[in-house]
């Protein structure tokens, strides 16, 4: 992918804004990279529609997680650093120059497949709502863009919402969600029952592949240790019984996966921060496919995405069963799942 300098500058400035207030390290580094054409250029060789800031910052983090020795480590809490983030950029730039070749190779080879377990705190109310509306039929989960499939295991994590409600089994993977706004969020008392769970991904991540898992960890912002700890707990849980993730494009794979589902389940196709990487033509074809599949059986579509025209991540539930399609905007959400504002009417 040949990226212009102007495009890369906009990408890094936008990423700095996204990180502002939650990752001082990445906010500061991204602002400085935006104005540094030499370092910025290292992010230009990624695959089509892969976000350059995530690739470059992830590549540097990945090398540090491998044990690469450099004074930059002092500023990365994920590897034991505690330095002042405002002083990190000169060493970051030096690191990029010294390790230019491996950084360029990682940027060219990897995909941004962040498997953010915290987003399950957003998905759970949608799963529960769909489950209740369909008479508590067991869910047949199909995740598009599943990465390592950690979100397919949502019912194996423990949830704590800021209004005091808790649900889920005892688990070291504890997901905490701040509830905002005036409308009550439907946190379930009973976890939805799951019959089966299948992921679809162009390049699935094997939870027992140490290199692949390290890359997923490298995509987590290094000064957000709570996210890293949650990821580690979820990986540990997933390795006990890895979810099944099929390789392929959902447009081609989804019809046969849905066709193979039993008739006494509610098929739940969902995705979170994955289809934003696809073209608008692909997304339109995907919507048409979901509608077509829903004409023949009980099927719901849950989407947690931050698309170009939206001011932020939004949670939608579409009931595709039968001829009538009902699409609801359920909530506005934080991109990593730290807060949720329920907006749907009861």
């Amino acid at each position: 992918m040949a990226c212009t300098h102007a495009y890369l500058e906009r990408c890094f400035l936008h990423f700095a804004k996204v990180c502002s207030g939650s990752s001082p390290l990445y906010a500061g580094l991204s602002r400085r990279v935006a104005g540094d054409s030499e370092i910025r250029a290292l992010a230009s060789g990624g695959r089509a529609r892969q976000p350059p800031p995530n690739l470059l910052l992830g590549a540097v983090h990945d090398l540090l997680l491998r044990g690469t020795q450099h004074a930059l480590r002092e500023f990365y809490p994920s590897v034991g650093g505690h330095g002042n983030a405002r002083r990190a950029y000169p060493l970051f730039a030096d690191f990029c120059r010294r390790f230019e070749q491996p950084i360029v190779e990682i940027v060219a080879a990897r995909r941004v497949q962040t498997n953010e377990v915290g987003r399950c705190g957003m998905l759970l109310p949608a799963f529960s709502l769909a489950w209740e509306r369909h008479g508590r039929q067991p869910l047949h989960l199909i995740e598009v863009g599943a990465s390592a499939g950690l979100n397919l295991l949502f019912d194996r994590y423990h949830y704590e919402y800021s209004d005091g409600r808790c649900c889920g089994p005892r688990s070291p993977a504890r997901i905490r969600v701040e509830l905002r706004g005036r409308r009550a969020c439907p946190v379930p008392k009973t976890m939805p029952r799951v019959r089966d769970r299948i992921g679809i991904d162009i390049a699935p991540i094997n939870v027992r592949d140490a290199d692949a898992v390290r890359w997923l960890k490298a995509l987590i912002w290094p000064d957000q240790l709570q996210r890293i700890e949650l990821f580690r707990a979820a990986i540990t849980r997933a390795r006990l019984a890895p979810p099944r993730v099929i390789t392929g494009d959902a447009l081609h794979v989804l019809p046969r996966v849905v066709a193979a589902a039993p008739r006494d389940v509610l098929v739940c196709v969902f995705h979170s921060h994955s289809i934003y990487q696809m073209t608008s033509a692909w997304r339109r074809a995907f919507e048409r496919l979901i509608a077509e599949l829903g004409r023949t059986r009980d099927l719901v579509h849950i989407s947690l995405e931050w698309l170009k025209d939206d001011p932020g991540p939004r949670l939608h539930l579409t009931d595709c069963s039968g001829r009538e399609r009902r699409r609801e905007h359920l909530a506005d959400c934080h991109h990593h799942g730290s807060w949720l504002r329920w907006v749907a009417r009861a």
Side-chain angles (χ1 to χ4, degrees):
M1 177 177 66
C3 298
T4 66
H5 283 292
Y7 170 75
L8 289 171
E9 182 179 5
R10 290 195 301 273
C11 285
F12 278 96
L13 287 175
H14 173 72
F15 193 70
K17 186 181 297 184
V18 170
C19 297
S20 180
S22 56
S23 176
L25 177 63
Y26 270 10
L29 292 179
S30 297
R31 279 192 294 268
R32 295 291 297 274
V33 172
D36 188 332
S37 60
E38 178 188 4
I39 304 303
R40 210 169 54 211
L42 300 181
S44 65
R47 300 168 187 262
R49 305 192 69 79
Q50 293 296 298
N54 305 67
L55 287 174
L56 175 60
L57 294 166
V60 170
H61 194 196
D62 187 50
L63 290 172
L64 291 173
L65 291 172
R66 293 185 201 184
T68 303
Q69 295 302 306
H70 189 277
L72 180 63
R73 298 178 70 87
E74 178 187 346
F75 299 92
Y76 277 62
S78 57
V79 292
H82 51 76
N84 189 326
R86 289 176 294 180
R87 300 176 182 174
Y89 190 73
L91 288 172
F92 178 85
D94 181 72
F95 185 96
C96 288
R97 294 187 188 100
R98 290 195 187 193
F99 300 100
E100 176 179 349
Q101 189 57 37
I103 288 172
V104 169
E105 290 173 359
I106 293 170
V107 167
R110 294 293 195 179
R111 297 177 184 272
V112 177
Q113 295 174 283
T114 307
N115 214 163
E116 181 52 60
V117 183
R119 292 173 185 149
C120 288
M122 320 287 101
L123 294 168
L124 173 60
F127 289 143
S128 178
L129 193 60
W131 182 61
E132 292 286 357
R133 287 176 175 176
H134 282 262
R136 296 196 167 190
Q137 288 186 80
L139 299 181
H140 186 92
L141 300 175
I142 303 173
E143 183 179 12
V144 174
S147 185
L150 301 183
N151 291 350
L152 283 164
L153 307 176
F154 81 93
D155 54 333
R156 300 176 187 176
Y157 309 140
H158 184 75
Y159 298 84
E160 299 175 357
Y161 290 84
S162 62
D163 63 358
R165 287 180 291 174
C166 300
C167 58
R170 287 180 175 270
S171 171
R174 304 175 73 86
I175 297 172
R176 297 176 175 87
V177 181
E178 175 193 349
L179 295 177
R180 298 183 177 181
R182 297 181 178 180
R183 296 190 186 278
C185 175
V187 177
K189 294 181 179 179
T190 302
M191 293 294 280
R193 181 183 169 202
V194 177
R195 173 78 62 81
D196 201 1
R197 52 196 101 218
I198 302 169
I200 301 171
D201 199 284
I202 293 173
I205 298 292
N206 183 342
V207 295
R208 291 174 175 156
D209 182 332
D211 287 343
V213 169
R214 189 193 60 245
W215 171 247
L216 291 185
K217 183 179 177 182
L219 290 171
I220 301 174
W221 304 351
D223 49 357
Q224 296 193 331
L225 297 181
Q226 186 175 346
R227 287 178 63 203
I228 292 174
E229 184 56 38
L230 176 58
F231 171 76
R232 184 183 294 115
I235 284 289
T236 299
R237 183 65 184 82
R239 283 173 171 163
L240 298 176
R244 180 159 66 106
V245 183
I246 299 170
T247 303
D249 185 321
L251 293 182
H252 307 302
V253 175
L254 188 60
R256 64 179 171 86
V257 173
V258 170
R263 300 303 300 185
D264 62 340
V265 298
L266 173 61
V267 172
C268 180
V269 179
F270 76 98
H271 46 85
S272 62
H273 293 259
S274 60
I275 70 167
Y276 78 94
Q277 295 183 12
M278 310 305 286
T279 65
S280 56
W282 188 97
R283 292 197 296 271
R284 287 194 296 271
F286 180 66
E287 291 285 348
R288 290 194 297 270
L289 175 60
I290 291 287
E292 179 181 333
L293 293 172
R295 293 191 185 100
T296 61
R297 61 166 308 128
D298 288 342
L299 185 149
V300 295
H301 173 206
I302 294 172
S303 169
L304 176 57
E305 296 286 344
W306 190 351
L307 299 179
K308 184 178 179 181
D309 295 331
D310 292 333
R314 289 187 167 177
L315 178 67
H316 288 95
L317 169 61
T318 305
D319 194 326
C320 304
S321 307
R323 294 185 176 277
E324 296 295 326
R325 295 179 70 245
R326 180 187 178 195
R327 185 172 190 263
E328 295 175 87
H329 174 196
L330 298 183
D332 298 326
C333 310
H334 183 265
H335 49 281
H336 293 144
S338 63
W339 60 261
L340 174 151
R341 180 183 294 107
W342 195 261
V343 299
R345 295 182 181 275

